[in-house]
Amino acid sequence: HEAFESHLEALKLRRAALGDQHADTAATYNNLGLACFVLGRIEEAIQYHQSALDIKRACLGENHPDTAKSYGNLGNAHLKKGAYHPALTCHLQCLKIRQATLGENH
């Protein structure tokens, strides 16, 4: 629970210093999503991971390894929820980006 609160404070500071559309802000949303996932707060995890993904897509583009990571994290949260179709969609997009950016044998 302390980790979540720390990440929430970090989000407040990063949004103030860097704005909403910055890769570091997205990383903080990702951290919040991971913390919520561990705490079993899956709906919140999905929201935070979706925010991270939206920012990464805007800042880094669709075909960036960090964007792929966000698709994977969002997919894991959907999977934990039992939402298999969105989970599969996210994981397939993650795989597609990783294959395109890192190669088949990475």
Side-chain angles (χ1 to χ4, degrees):
H1 189 36
E2 284 181 39
F4 176 80
E5 295 300 326
S6 295
H7 291 306
L8 203 56
E9 182 62 25
L11 178 63
K12 179 181 172 184
L13 296 172
R14 283 193 169 162
R15 288 179 72 195
L18 304 172
D20 289 330
Q21 298 297 311
H22 192 280
D24 288 344
T25 304
T28 306
Y29 276 111
N30 179 69
N31 292 340
L32 282 162
L34 293 172
C36 285
F37 187 91
V38 169
L39 293 170
R41 295 160 49 177
I42 304 306
E43 287 295 332
E44 286 178 83
I46 289 170
Q47 292 173 3
Y48 285 123
H49 284 308
Q50 184 66 58
S51 294
L53 175 60
D54 292 344
I55 296 167
K56 286 181 183 179
R57 288 176 71 194
C59 291
L60 305 173
E62 181 69 21
N63 294 313
H64 190 281
D66 286 349
T67 304
K69 182 190 265 187
S70 283
Y71 273 112
N73 289 337
L74 181 57
N76 290 339
H78 280 299
L79 185 62
K80 183 75 170 179
K81 181 184 173 185
Y84 301 113
H85 182 67
L88 179 61
T89 300
C90 288
H91 284 132
L92 288 174
Q93 187 62 21
C94 174
L95 177 62
K96 177 182 170 185
I97 296 167
R98 286 185 173 161
Q99 287 175 331
T101 58
L102 303 174
E104 293 278 335
N105 296 319
H106 187 276

